Amino acid sequence: MKRFGLVLIALGLIIAFSVPAAAVDVKFSGSFYAAGMYQDKTTVMKDSGCDGVSTAFYYQRLRVQTEFIVHPGLKLITRFDAMERAWGAPRSASMVYNSTTKTWVAAPEAPDSAGTFAENENIAFDEAYVHYVSPIGEFKVGYKEKALWGPDFANNGKPAGLLFWGKYFAPAYLYVWGQIVKINDNSYTAKNSTSPFTADRDNDEYQIGVHYYGIKNVEIAFMYDYARYASGKSGYTGWVLGPTGWVWSDYGYLNVAHIFEPYIRGKIGPVKFEAEVDYAVGDWIKYEGQHPYYYDMKLTNLQAYAKAIADFGFVYVGGIAAYVSGDDPGTTDKAEGGYLNGGREFKPCLVMFNSERNDWAGMITGYNAGSYVLNPKYTYGYVDAPMQNAWFFQLIAGVKPIDNLDIMATFSYANADKKPTAAWKYNDYGYEVDLTATYKITNNLSYMLGGGYLFTGKYYRGESDLHQVRDNYLFINKLTLTF
């Protein structure tokens, strides 16, 4: 499969660079924001002796995309983020200590970047790819964001090396595409002296999609994603003493998922709507041999989302309903939550499920917060992002008293789909009220002022009614420039 992917990439590059070059035009676009945030507390634990501190700081980010246009059908596109940091705050470490190998290693990449947190605090290139439009379709080859699909819900934008092909078939109103994505590669290179036992520990995704535009103002799309993550393979085999005696064991395991993602979005009269359903099935853990202590774990995750907004000019109203399945602690052979989530791009509230707040101020801790050993992606007991293990409902109302001013209020309720442990007491995350006002200073410059109040639910009491929780709130103001 790896050789097949390399051959396709080589063919794509040959096609892309077979076009005669002409004078190069350059286009720049991007954004800059600077924001200030005040968050009341960093925990919702009350009278615990560790109630958490308040926090207030400023932060910013510059994003620049450059297009080098050789001719209208051929361009090189790059994108970088720079100065993504809190003003005057301590910088991130470029190296971290690995307690297993007892060595210092490079820090991991940021969740939305091809660079580390430390690199983004200076400058980190996330995208560099060729975009070529040919008679047989368009090709994109290089590093590019891989996971922006349909509505913001379930989108976790992450740059990765990929080979993309897509083509629009006009008579059928169809756009068909496919791509091969290299998430992680462990082959032997000058920078990676891997052993023969671990050379195949690659993480890859193979995706195909189709979009239908035959209905006026409506888009219907479907994507299939085959994700094969082999980073858990160790290649070690041998006799291991288990609870029932010595067994021949292979500690290596695979994580394999088949993901089906249809969505629809469009406009009927004054109403804009969108909906998406995502379903993942496969193996969370599939051991290649017998393991003395652990067993295979199946994967069945489901999530769904719907949003509708009716815009009457001066006023608009609407709502959101979303569901992300949670992991049932009673089924140790199955992972029902943790693989799929609501996505970093989906930020319905200022406090709950807001990845920007989470990135800059951190998770807000409740009682008995933690994560599962065999399912570390599945955390619990935090006011966290992206959305997971949740039923979520939101009412939206807004007014535009003048052309440049948008005032919006939301009322949200969320509760957990599953209690994370058998001793957990309650399901309700709580209610949140948010109010924001965005003023468009110019066509490219806007200023937002907002506040959110979380009426904290009993879910964060954890495993004891003796635990008490407190409400939380934040204020934010943000200046955004686009160009």
Side-chain angles (χ1 to χ4, degrees), residues 56 62 80 155-156 209 234 236 260 298 309 318-319 322 339 341 343 377 445 458 469:
L62 169 65
F80 68 81
N155 276 343
N156 289 286
S234 69
Y236 171 79
F260 307 90
K298 290 294 182 180
I309 298 289
Y339 192 88
N341 60 59
K377 288 186 178 180
L445 185 66
K458 294 181 180 180
V469 295

Side-chain angles (χ1 to χ4, degrees), residues 295-298 327-336 374:
Y295 301 92
D296 293 348
M297 181 182 290
K298 290 294 182 180
D327 204 7
D328 185 347
T331 57
T332 57
D333 62 340
K334 188 183 297 183
E336 299 93 348
L374 294 180

Side-chain angles (χ1 to χ4, degrees), residues 138 149 194 218 245 289 377 420 480:
E138 63 173 332
W149 167 256
T194 185
V218 174
K377 288 186 178 180
T480 303

